[in-house]
Amino acid sequence: MNRNVNIKIECVENLIFSKYDVKVYIDGMYKGTITHGGAGTYSLILTKGKHTISFESAEDASLDGEVEIDISKDDILKFKISCSRSGIEVETIADTSTT
């Protein structure tokens, strides 16, 4: 069964180092690029079950991060990402049902 899912992603701005834009992928499919310090919202229709949201530096594919989500209902998911020299850290901010 398909579910409506809104994914909101905020990129924490670094003042000096590790200032790169981030590509966003859902289950390996490119969805867009978030500018450093910016935010993005993606409205998707996903099947019930596990999905992977992955992030990759637009400048260096070795700088990446990911989070796995389990979709069981219509949802609004919020994440905060932080860019560093070693990769992209992902923090889950909220998981709010919109049933």
Side-chain angles (χ1 to χ4, degrees), residues 58-71:
E59 300 169 9
D60 182 351
S62 70
L63 299 174
D64 60 6
E66 71 178 30
V67 64
E68 187 174 89
I69 57 175
D70 191 3
I71 301 300

Side-chain angles (χ1 to χ4, degrees), residues 15-74:
L15 297 178
I16 300 174
F17 298 109
S18 300
K19 294 177 74 168
Y20 49 82
D21 296 344
V22 177
K23 294 180 180 179
V24 178
Y25 298 86
I26 309 292
D27 295 333
M29 296 184 64
Y30 175 76
K31 295 299 175 185
T33 300
I34 298 174
T35 58
H36 182 80
T41 300
Y42 304 93
S43 296
L44 308 167
I45 297 175
L46 297 175
T47 57
K48 287 178 74 172
K50 294 187 184 297
H51 298 274
T52 301
I53 304 172
S54 52
F55 305 93
E56 179 181 288
S57 165
E59 300 169 9
D60 182 351
S62 70
L63 299 174
D64 60 6
E66 71 178 30
V67 64
E68 187 174 89
I69 57 175
D70 191 3
I71 301 300
S72 61
K73 58 191 179 298
D74 292 349

Side-chain angles (χ1 to χ4, degrees), residues 8-12 55 78-82 88-94:
K8 298 180 181 186
I9 302 164
E10 174 188 344
C11 180
V12 176
F55 305 93
K78 296 180 182 178
F79 300 95
K80 185 182 291 186
I81 57 174
S82 302
I88 300 169
E89 296 177 29
V90 184
E91 178 184 353
T92 302
I93 302 300

